Amino acid sequence: QVQLVESGGGLVQAGGSLRLSCAASGRTFSSYTMGWFRQAPGKERELIAASTWSGQHTYIPNSVNGRFTISIDNAKNTVYLQMNSLKPEDTAVYYCAARPGPYTFGKYDYWGQGTQVTVAS
């Protein structure tokens, strides 16, 4: 049974940093793409970072490029999202997700429960 468990969310002042973690278990993810999504109240869920498990292919949209970084620690089976220079508009629930194959977009099969990030102005 696949499990994705996020942690690391919380309250931070604008300009601050947070690192989210996603502990993945239940299968081998070597052929998977891992993604980070976020959803703010009243807004659609958006993909903000993705990486193949090997790290060979990564995706960061322009909206967070230069501030957010995705990385994977294979030994710990953990995916990280490093978020710097946080802004109030980054406030959202952040989700970790996984899908088979080296595909950034489309349907992700597995989801974590989400972790709240609140950026105070």
Side-chain angles (χ1 to χ4, degrees):
Q1 180 181 354
V2 173
Q3 279 195 312
L4 304 175
V5 180
E6 303 99 333
S7 60
L11 174 64
V12 63
Q13 294 294 316
S17 297
L18 279 176
R19 188 178 75 161
L20 304 184
S21 300
C22 171
S25 63
R27 66 164 301 121
T28 301
F29 292 92
S30 57
S31 63
Y32 275 57
T33 296
M34 307 301 293
W36 282 100
F37 292 76
R38 69 182 180 187
Q39 187 165 23
K43 294 189 177 181
E44 292 187 356
R45 185 174 59 196
E46 63 172 323
L47 176 65
I48 56 168
S51 176
T52 53
W53 192 262
S54 67
Q56 185 175 8
H57 301 288
T58 61
Y59 167 79
I60 302 287
N62 290 337
S63 58
V64 298
N65 192 26
R67 299 191 298 123
F68 289 13
T69 304
I70 185 171
S71 62
I72 297 176
D73 186 330
N74 191 42
K76 295 183 178 180
N77 250 31
T78 300
V79 186
Y80 300 101
L81 181 68
Q82 178 67 44
M83 306 186 293
N84 299 326
S85 302
L86 283 162
K87 306 174 182 180
E89 50 264 43
D90 293 320
T91 295
V93 178
Y94 284 70
Y95 298 91
C96 176
R99 63 165 298 171
Y103 311 114
T104 298
F105 302 105
K107 179 180 176 292
Y108 279 68
D109 293 343
Y110 303 104
W111 293 84
Q113 81 287 353
T115 186
Q116 176 72 46
V117 171
T118 302
V119 184
S121 57

